[in-house]
Amino acid sequence: MTSRRKLLRFDEVREMLGCSRSHVYDLLAEGRIKAHNPSGVPGKRGTKILAESVDSYLSSGEIAQEEWSK
């Protein structure tokens, strides 16, 4: 597991995946990772990413599109 905490901040997920903030939004929109959003507004302060979904994404072997360009 990536963290003992169940919820992660956007910047933590971005650093873990080595991708941009917009790519994290794309992953959320595609349903590859999941978020807890108490306000219901995407990107609004308080939105947290579920650590379990990041673990699943990482274990799937997918690489962020941005990594292919390096």
Side-chain angles (χ1 to χ4, degrees), residues 10 21 24-25 28 35-49:
F10 268 80
R21 191 172 178 87
V24 175
Y25 282 113
L28 285 167
H36 170 70
N37 190 347
S39 68
V41 179
K44 180 88 172 172
R45 207 168 194 51
T47 299
K48 301 288 190 233
I49 310 296

Side-chain angles (χ1 to χ4, degrees), residues 37-70:
N37 190 347
S39 68
V41 179
K44 180 88 172 172
R45 207 168 194 51
T47 299
K48 301 288 190 233
I49 310 296
L50 300 174
E52 183 177 311
S53 70
V54 176
D55 289 337
S56 295
Y57 177 74
L58 288 171
S59 66
S60 73
E62 294 184 60
I63 298 173
Q65 184 177 7
E66 295 163 358
E67 291 298 313
W68 287 101
S69 63
K70 292 182 179 180

Side-chain angles (χ1 to χ4, degrees), residues 15-29:
E15 288 178 22
M16 290 168 63
L17 300 179
C19 65
S20 68
R21 191 172 178 87
S22 64
H23 189 71
V24 175
Y25 282 113
D26 291 343
L27 292 172
L28 285 167

